[in-house]
Amino acid sequence: MSHRSLFAAAVLALALLPLHAPGALAGGKPRTHDRFFLRMAIGGGWFSNKLDLVAADTEFSGFAGDADIAIGGMVSPNLALHGTMFGWAAADPDLKVTPGGSGTANGTATMDAFGGGLTYYFMPANAY
């Protein structure tokens, strides 16, 4: 199975996941979001970065793992204000230089970011 078809299958599975959510709401009190906010995620997927340089164009691509964490608090019903940090890393990514050639880059390609964010929950679906 190619990387792209594997990625497409993972995206499809994640897109269909909310169809399972109504079962989690059956027979209990409605969910509420108040006070502390924490969201963490890890995953992976295909990445591609292109650098347009004066002498040559450089493109890195390959499979990368990623992590995301958001910490904050609820500022009104269903609205969270948070700080967010995320990043991804790919070991020995594919490298293409135009003009030039292609091969495997020895090392790790990474991207890290941080900032602020808002998350709004659409209730009663508990989707954000």
Side-chain angles (χ1 to χ4, degrees), residues 3-4 6-7 10 41-49 60-68 86-94 107-112:
H3 289 292
R4 291 182 192 246
L6 182 62
F7 180 69
I42 60 170
W46 190 260
F47 86 99
S48 178
N49 275 0
F60 293 93
S61 61
F63 183 80
D66 73 325
D68 179 348
F86 71 89
W88 58 257
D92 300 331
D94 295 332
T108 304
T110 63
M111 182 189 70
D112 301 307

Side-chain angles (χ1 to χ4, degrees), residues 18-69:
L19 297 177
H20 181 66
L25 298 176
K29 294 181 180 179
R31 294 178 184 230
T32 60
H33 296 279
D34 53 6
R35 300 184 192 151
F36 183 70
F37 177 86
L38 174 65
R39 181 179 62 227
M40 298 184 294
I42 60 170
W46 190 260
F47 86 99
S48 178
N49 275 0
K50 186 174 182 181
L51 302 170
D52 296 324
L53 303 172
V54 174
D57 292 339
T58 305
E59 184 175 351
F60 293 93
S61 61
F63 183 80
D66 73 325
D68 179 348
I69 185 167

Side-chain angles (χ1 to χ4, degrees), residues 73-95:
M74 304 304 289
V75 294
S76 71
N78 301 321
L79 181 65
L81 175 64
H82 51 82
T84 301
M85 297 181 296
F86 71 89
W88 58 257
D92 300 331
D94 295 332
L95 173 65

